[in-house]
Amino acid sequence: MTVNSAVNGTAGDALGGHPPGGAAARRARELLERERRTHLAELGLLEGENAPDEAAMARRGTLQGNLEEIDAAFLRLDQGAYGSCEDCREPVPEGRLEIIPYARRCVGCQQRRR
Ligand SMILES: [Zn+2]
């Protein structure tokens, strides 16, 4: 499936989320699974280090945090809440989800939190 068909496919229901089983949800699942694989692979490499330095430790923390976010995103997919901003309930742009498939918020809301 192409990126375009995901963008032009299911626009989401009234909640702004991706309905489970729809084309956009399938695409999101693919992206999340890929993300989880690459995170687990990198984490495995880092955990294989005998004397990790501070940067490696920090990276491990980031990866573990992201993996939790990925799991939470899978849950939202099952519930049909995926793709809807947690704060404003507007759809999170597909382009953002392509880059960060586990994003909980649209760019505007995420920036207000920082
Ligand atoms: Zn928002």
Side-chain angles (χ1 to χ4, degrees):
M1 194 168 82
T2 64
V3 172
N4 248 2
S5 64
V7 171
N8 298 328
T10 320
D13 59 17
L15 289 170
H18 293 9
R26 275 203 306 279
R27 170 68 181 159
R29 202 169 282 278
E30 274 175 27
L31 288 168
L32 284 167
E33 276 166 4
R34 193 173 65 195
E35 200 75 3
R36 180 151 70 183
R37 272 197 305 276
T38 57
H39 274 67
L40 286 173
E42 190 179 344
L43 199 59
L45 287 177
L46 287 170
E47 282 174 350
E49 287 183 23
N50 287 327
D53 59 18
E54 211 167 294
M57 294 295 283
R59 183 67 184 151
R60 262 162 69 165
T62 302
L63 290 168
Q64 277 158 351
N66 286 353
L67 280 166
E68 281 169 25
E69 288 301 302
I70 291 165
D71 281 343
F74 273 116
L75 208 65
R76 292 199 299 278
L77 260 180
D78 290 338
Q79 294 165 341
Y82 181 88
S84 171
C85 174
E86 282 193 353
D87 289 356
C88 70
R89 302 285 158 196
E90 290 294 317
V92 179
E94 292 290 342
R96 174 164 170 74
L97 292 172
E98 287 283 325
I99 301 164
I100 312 171
Y102 46 89
R104 290 174 181 268
R105 297 178 188 89
C106 68
V107 177
C109 290
Q110 190 64 52
Q111 279 171 350
R112 273 194 286 281
R113 294 204 159 229
R114 285 189 182 141

